[in-house]
Amino acid sequence: MSAVQTSPARQDDTRQRSPLVEVLSSLLRSRTFLVGMTIVLFWVACALFGEHFAPYDPLADDIINALAPPSAEHWFGTDQIGRDVFSRVIVGSRDILTVAPLATLLATVAGTALGLLTGYFRGLVDDVVSRILEAFMAIPVVIVALLAIVALGTSKTTVIIVIGLSFAPIIARTVRSAVLAERELDYVAAAQLRHESALHTMFVEILPNVIPPILVETTVRLGYAIFAVATLSFMGFGIQPPSPDWGLSISSNYGMIGGGFWWTVLFDALAIASLVIGVNLAADGVHGAFND
């Protein structure tokens, strides 16, 4: 009885699946990634469409109903000037999900460019740039924010620049390590023998091969960026009133906790925590997919 043979074309298709397909398949099998993305996409939907299903205007005050506890009318209660906390939590996701991803994008672009530069050239360039980056990393984000606000003024753009430039050295260090390993491989030597320019070798030859660690680092930094945006807003350095931003709302109402008005802060804090957890779960899924 003859054995059933698989056609050569089918065998090749099985053996030569695209790396991208493999990664996507791994992500779709990862419960960690799927749970994280579900949380993130929920808040993205709130940021995009929150005003359409929020029961009240998040900026409208109602002094008569100030500090009302959670009820059927106000699910999360009201704050000290009567604004509906549930509506503010829903719509408040917009600013943080605008600023944090843009800051992360800036950090990724700048960090990748610096990592490629230091990892490829090494020597004096690596020493000088790496020492500058290490010195910059030693300065707390709050101090950088304070200096930037004095120079540029308080705005979303300032927050994006501060967080982006603060995280760029961390990403640069990760990219540099990956580039140092890739630089010794044959395809880089072949590009140099063809007399390709350094920019071509870095961005066309090496960059595609270090995308996995860059993507992992980007997703991790996004979680930190969300927390940093909320922290700066809480301290008065970030997003400004009358935005329903979560960090700003906590800053405005945390003094009410001592009087027993816990709902004015709790739900905004839970929103920040859930979004950060969602991003971190997604980041773990991405890391696992690239390391399978």
Side-chain angles (χ1 to χ4, degrees), residues 83-161:
R83 295 174 298 193
D84 182 63
V85 174
F86 176 74
S87 299
R88 290 178 64 78
V89 169
I90 293 297
V91 179
S93 59
R94 179 171 301 166
D95 285 330
I96 203 166
L97 281 173
T98 299
V99 174
L102 289 175
T104 305
L105 177 62
L106 173 60
T108 301
V109 172
T112 298
L114 290 170
L116 286 167
L117 181 70
T118 55
Y120 181 77
F121 286 106
R122 297 188 296 188
L124 181 62
V125 172
D126 185 16
D127 290 340
V128 172
V129 175
S130 294
R131 298 298 83 76
I132 293 173
L133 294 178
E134 288 170 4
F136 198 81
M137 289 170 62
I139 305 174
V141 176
V142 174
I143 302 299
V144 177
L146 206 54
L147 295 173
I149 287 169
V150 171
L152 304 175
T154 303
S155 67
K156 292 180 183 178
T157 302
T158 302
V159 176
I160 291 169
I161 293 173

Side-chain angles (χ1 to χ4, degrees), residues 18-253:
S18 166
L20 179 60
V21 173
E22 292 284 357
V23 170
L24 291 176
S25 177
S26 180
L27 288 175
L28 293 176
R29 293 194 306 268
S30 171
R31 292 183 180 180
T32 300
F33 177 78
L34 293 176
V35 170
M37 284 305 300
T38 299
I39 297 171
V40 172
L41 290 175
F42 168 78
W43 287 118
V44 169
C46 290
L48 294 174
F49 310 111
E51 289 182 347
H52 297 290
F53 57 83
Y56 298 92
D57 182 347
L59 301 180
D61 58 73
D62 182 7
I63 299 299
I64 295 176
N65 291 313
L67 297 174
S71 63
E73 184 178 2
H74 297 284
W75 292 355
F76 291 176
T78 62
D79 65 9
Q80 58 186 323
I81 58 175
R83 295 174 298 193
D84 182 63
V85 174
F86 176 74
S87 299
R88 290 178 64 78
V89 169
I90 293 297
V91 179
S93 59
R94 179 171 301 166
D95 285 330
I96 203 166
L97 281 173
T98 299
V99 174
L102 289 175
T104 305
L105 177 62
L106 173 60
T108 301
V109 172
T112 298
L114 290 170
L116 286 167
L117 181 70
T118 55
Y120 181 77
F121 286 106
R122 297 188 296 188
L124 181 62
V125 172
D126 185 16
D127 290 340
V128 172
V129 175
S130 294
R131 298 298 83 76
I132 293 173
L133 294 178
E134 288 170 4
F136 198 81
M137 289 170 62
I139 305 174
V141 176
V142 174
I143 302 299
V144 177
L146 206 54
L147 295 173
I149 287 169
V150 171
L152 304 175
T154 303
S155 67
K156 292 180 183 178
T157 302
T158 302
V159 176
I160 291 169
I161 293 173
V162 167
I163 296 175
L165 295 182
S166 296
F167 289 169
I170 303 173
I171 297 177
R173 187 170 56 184
T174 299
V175 175
R176 174 184 175 274
S177 298
V179 171
L180 286 174
E182 292 292 325
R183 193 184 187 281
E184 304 303 322
L185 299 181
D186 291 341
Y187 74 90
V188 175
Q192 293 171 339
L193 288 173
R194 296 195 305 267
H195 301 291
E196 301 286 1
S197 67
L199 287 177
H200 179 277
T201 304
M202 286 189 292
F203 288 95
V204 177
E205 302 289 343
I206 298 177
L207 179 58
N209 294 292
V210 297
I211 289 296
I214 292 174
L215 289 178
V216 171
E217 189 67 34
T218 298
T219 53
V220 171
R221 289 306 128 200
L222 177 57
Y224 283 101
I226 291 168
F227 189 73
V229 172
T231 301
L232 291 177
S233 296
F234 176 80
M235 299 183 69
F237 299 151
I239 298 166
Q240 298 297 304
S243 169
D245 172 73
W246 297 332
L248 184 59
S249 294
I250 293 173
S251 177
S252 301
N253 293 289

